[in-house]
Amino acid sequence: MAKKVSMQDIADALNISKNSVSQALSGKAGVSPATRKKIQKTANELGYHYKTMASRSDSHQTGNIGLIASDFAFSLQSFFGEIYLSVEKEATNRGLNVLIQSISNEMRDNLTLPSFIENKQVDGVLILSHISTDYMNKVISTGIPTVTIDHHHPLIQADAILTNNRFAAYTAVKHLIDLGHEKIAFVGDTRFSPSYQERLEGYLLALQEHKMAADDNLIFSSVEEDEKSVKDLITTVSTPPTAWFCVNDGLGFFVQSSLQRNGIHVPEEASVCSFDNGQLSRLANPKITTVDIDLQLYGRKAIEQLVWRMANEDEPITELLLPAKLLKRESTMKVND
């Protein structure tokens, strides 16, 4: 008796995921028209029986998704560039094309959408990082399924793929506490991103759970990421901390460099811990203890969520928090007794 053909058999024959086969044969969005036809053809050839279901994809699906970000976000190639590459890889695996548009400040301020969104030439949109709440809501108002990456806001009603910033920051600050540090500074501009505000909340939670009072003199929550701002901070701080928790690697690099220029040895006299595991944390001397974000996972989960949203447009908004891992390096050490 011949073996019954399964969706997995079709997936194996085409070297694609079983999920893509299911979406194609059920009429759901998430695969390109060309891939859908190829799957249907293979299913027929293998003798797989399925019911053709009408869907938006039969007449309207383009097989394209859009990815947009601000000029600033695209300039941060070591972070957002890696996320884009993982998005493109996952989209290609699903037979989808990625259309990219950098959003200038003028486009943002005038609420000018890319032509592929305005003309609905894409089946879904990924918004990478923050542009502006008004602009992101203009995209969402087109009715095209939208997922945001590394940004969310109470007024933005869209699925979001995020880092678990609170728990990751908590873990980093707990590491400093476990090393015996009691005077731990927080450095970052919480006005710049909800992620930075959440990292402050993680910092405060770690202090609270270890019965350590937060010292306002050690919380620097409006420090911009530039060398002069950090230099001014280091030279004027009234209560020298023994450890510094910085919301990103750029600030961590500037803090460590400024400490060293002021004759403060890292980590013997002050420990430094940052966030993101970017190039600066690895180039610093000593290398900086940091929080690692799986950027490949970011891209993969963003595509997965967008494909799901395209097929389930009426389901409630979902936010997915991705874990992050502390990388202990030479910039942190136990407090000298």
Side-chain angles (χ1 to χ4, degrees), residues 183-246:
K183 295 181 179 179
I184 304 171
F186 171 90
V187 184
D189 189 351
T190 57
R191 303 164 299 179
F192 182 78
S193 167
S195 295
Y196 296 167
Q197 175 64 36
E198 291 158 10
R199 292 171 194 179
L200 173 58
E201 292 166 8
Y203 162 91
L204 294 171
L205 179 61
L207 296 182
Q208 176 186 313
E209 288 209 346
H210 289 81
K211 299 187 173 17
M212 296 169 60
D215 185 347
D216 290 341
N217 294 318
L218 294 177
I219 299 176
F220 308 104
S221 58
S222 58
V223 179
E224 296 183 3
E225 188 182 344
D226 65 73
E227 189 172 13
K228 183 180 184 305
S229 296
V230 174
K231 177 183 176 183
D232 292 343
L233 168 63
I234 298 299
T235 55
T236 59
V237 61
S238 58
T239 307
T242 62
W244 299 77
F245 172 65
C246 307

Side-chain angles (χ1 to χ4, degrees), residues 126-142:
L126 296 175
I127 303 178
L128 188 55
S129 190
H130 181 51
I131 300 177
S132 78
T133 299
D134 287 343
Y135 192 92
M136 295 169 83
N137 280 329
K138 178 73 179 292
V139 174
I140 294 166
S141 72
T142 64

Side-chain angles (χ1 to χ4, degrees), residues 13 19 40 44 215 242-243 251 272 287 295 318 325:
N19 188 53
Q40 291 171 339
N44 292 332
D215 185 347
T242 62
L251 281 166
V272 177
K287 293 180 180 178
L295 301 181
T318 298
K325 179 182 179 182

Side-chain angles (χ1 to χ4, degrees), residues 172-327:
V173 176
K174 181 182 183 301
H175 167 61
L176 296 173
I177 294 172
D178 289 345
L179 291 174
H181 294 283
E182 297 180 355
K183 295 181 179 179
I184 304 171
F186 171 90
V187 184
D189 189 351
T190 57
R191 303 164 299 179
F192 182 78
S193 167
S195 295
Y196 296 167
Q197 175 64 36
E198 291 158 10
R199 292 171 194 179
L200 173 58
E201 292 166 8
Y203 162 91
L204 294 171
L205 179 61
L207 296 182
Q208 176 186 313
E209 288 209 346
H210 289 81
K211 299 187 173 17
M212 296 169 60
D215 185 347
D216 290 341
N217 294 318
L218 294 177
I219 299 176
F220 308 104
S221 58
S222 58
V223 179
E224 296 183 3
E225 188 182 344
D226 65 73
E227 189 172 13
K228 183 180 184 305
S229 296
V230 174
K231 177 183 176 183
D232 292 343
L233 168 63
I234 298 299
T235 55
T236 59
V237 61
S238 58
T239 307
T242 62
W244 299 77
F245 172 65
C246 307
V247 297
N248 64 27
D249 290 328
L251 281 166
F253 183 85
F254 288 141
V255 164
Q256 179 162 297
S257 299
S258 294
L259 288 171
Q260 291 168 329
R261 280 197 295 270
N262 280 273
I264 300 171
H265 296 93
V266 177
E268 293 83 1
E269 295 175 289
S271 288
V272 177
C273 180
S274 59
F275 210 107
D276 291 338
N277 189 27
Q279 190 175 35
L280 287 175
S281 71
R282 299 188 293 270
L283 290 176
N285 185 21
K287 293 180 180 178
I288 300 175
T289 294
T290 188
V291 175
D292 181 47
I293 297 173
D294 188 339
L295 301 181
Q296 296 293 319
L297 182 61
Y298 242 122
R300 191 166 77 249
K301 289 299 181 182
I303 289 291
E304 286 180 6
Q305 186 63 29
L306 183 60
V307 167
W308 180 87
R309 176 55 62 191
M310 287 156 56
N312 299 273
E313 296 187 26
D314 296 327
E315 290 294 316
I317 296 302
T318 298
E319 292 191 342
L320 179 63
L321 296 182
L322 303 182
K325 179 182 179 182
L326 181 68
L327 299 179

Side-chain angles (χ1 to χ4, degrees), residues 101-117:
Q101 176 70 59
S102 180
I103 307 302
S104 66
N105 291 341
E106 183 179 4
M107 291 178 68
R108 178 198 64 198
D109 295 342
N110 294 328
L111 299 181
T112 304
L113 298 180
S115 60
F116 58 70
I117 294 179

